[in-house]
Amino acid sequence: MDTPAYLLAIGTKKGLWLAISHDRRTWELSEPHFLMQEIPAIGIDTRGGRNRLLVGVRSEHFGPTVMHSDDLGATWVEPDQAAIAFAEGDGAAVERIWQILPDVEGRPGVVWAGVQPISVWRSTDGGETFTLNRALWEHPDKDDWGAGFGGAAAHSIVPDPRDEQLVHVAMSTGGVYRTRDGGESWQRSSKGISAYFLPDPEPEVGQCVHKIAADSEGRLYAQNHRGVFRSDDQGERWVSIAEGLPADFGFVMLTHPRRSGTAWVVPLVSDYERIAPQGHLAVHRTDDAGDTWHRFDDGLPARDYNVVLRDAACVDVGDPAGVYFGTRGGSVYASADEGESFVEVASRLPDVLCVRAAVLDGRAPEETAGS
């Protein structure tokens, strides 16, 4: 039986790098793709036995687009017409693609995209063309949504694997919204998530949720602008699970692909001091849905004052699960043991904006990285 190959796609401020490994400890890094173009979003679609890379590319000259590759970076395809574009009457233009998410195995062809300005898009042809979800775009709360420090964007899309009609979306700054009817209507879903910076610390809308994720049983987790939360009822109510963490600020929220109750965060001191506590970068994991947390830093530098952004971290589906993250200082780390120890995959890259990993079922290294 062939040893699985692992693909790590690294999107940065100045291009895309691909890395491959057979043990998640030694990695081969490609030459850059899309050099000098920003890569804020990546999706790796392994459904149906193919390996499609979907990349949100942003050029300062040509603007944003979605490119895809079915040969792991050897060649790239850009549609003749923009894959994601507002209609003339919408009064908006795409500024940046923040999220590209292939849906679950049983929904072939379905790919989601989160965009700035705040909007959610859905593809049914594997990410070649997308349709705007107008119910969210025209939501009555829209005038109360603001722009986080990075921009007004839908940055988290969480489709439920058991119920095709149930999807959660998080945005900065607007909070969490939920649809139970496949996107025909959207309801606020942020009750219990705080917004200390507003006159009402628990508003109905306007929370600056940094990232949401769901575990294998559908339990939701959120990393907020100050606050870490969990919901056991599909977002009806959120409760704090920050006790035991050194700080409750950060951007990352990851969950285990198979084990309920396991999640990872990367704490930062605060919104005013965006560094790891004591300048020592570490990953924190819970295995009991946030009741307790454990700190891991084996293999990480003793001093690092860089930030890990919301999509610059991911988990693969290996066994044990692999955990990955990159920093704004251009270092990328991989863990083959669920975050307990790390190796450095790359260093001195441009600011890392997005990291995505996939298991490629035994492809040889020379077939994967497109180098």
Side-chain angles (χ1 to χ4, degrees), residues 199-245:
D200 179 359
E202 288 200 14
E204 294 186 3
V205 62
Q207 291 89 344
C208 187
V209 178
H210 286 176
K211 194 68 182 173
I212 63 170
D215 70 16
S216 60
E217 291 188 356
R219 184 185 287 112
L220 293 167
Y221 300 82
Q223 171 64 69
N224 195 46
H225 187 108
R226 292 196 182 177
V228 182
F229 298 90
R230 185 190 76 221
S231 175
D232 300 323
D233 52 13
Q234 298 178 341
E236 286 291 329
R237 179 75 188 179
W238 297 81
V239 296
S240 174
I241 55 171
E243 186 175 354
L245 290 169

Side-chain angles (χ1 to χ4, degrees), residues 252-268:
V252 172
M253 178 56 73
L254 304 173
T255 52
H256 199 284
R258 295 175 300 278
R259 192 166 67 242
S260 177
T262 296
W264 295 263
V265 294
V266 182
L268 303 175

Side-chain angles (χ1 to χ4, degrees), residues 148-169:
F149 185 72
H155 55 65
S156 299
I157 303 172
V158 183
D160 190 284
R162 294 162 293 271
D163 181 357
E164 189 172 3
Q165 303 299 305
L166 177 61
V167 183
H168 289 84
V169 169

Side-chain angles (χ1 to χ4, degrees), residues 132-144:
L132 173 65
N133 183 280
R134 292 208 163 269
L136 187 65
W137 176 247
E138 298 169 357
H139 198 280
D141 289 347
K142 183 176 179 178
D143 289 343
D144 295 322

Side-chain angles (χ1 to χ4, degrees), residues 95 128 164 170 182 190 207 244 257 285 291 295 313 333 353 361:
E95 297 178 44
E128 298 189 30
E164 189 172 3
S190 304
Q207 291 89 344
R285 188 184 77 203
D291 288 342
R295 182 182 185 278
Y333 300 95
L353 307 179
D361 296 327

Side-chain angles (χ1 to χ4, degrees), residues 84-95 115-119 121 132 134 137:
I84 298 177
F86 288 98
E88 186 175 341
D90 289 329
V94 175
E95 297 178 44
V115 168
Q116 177 185 355
I118 295 170
S119 55
W121 304 67
L132 173 65
R134 292 208 163 269
W137 176 247

Side-chain angles (χ1 to χ4, degrees), residues 67-152:
M67 307 274 283
H68 71 267
S69 173
D70 291 326
D71 52 19
L72 296 165
T75 59
W76 293 91
V77 177
E78 181 178 8
D80 293 335
Q81 302 294 323
I84 298 177
F86 288 98
E88 186 175 341
D90 289 329
V94 175
E95 297 178 44
R96 183 177 280 104
I97 298 158
W98 281 67
Q99 183 83 177
I100 300 176
L101 179 73
D103 210 315
V104 298
E105 184 72 33
R107 299 166 198 159
V110 176
V111 178
W112 296 88
V115 168
Q116 177 185 355
I118 295 170
S119 55
V120 168
W121 304 67
R122 185 174 181 268
S123 171
T124 57
D125 58 11
E128 298 189 30
T129 61
F130 289 81
T131 300
L132 173 65
N133 183 280
R134 292 208 163 269
L136 187 65
W137 176 247
E138 298 169 357
H139 198 280
D141 289 347
K142 183 176 179 178
D143 289 343
D144 295 322
W145 299 340
F149 185 72

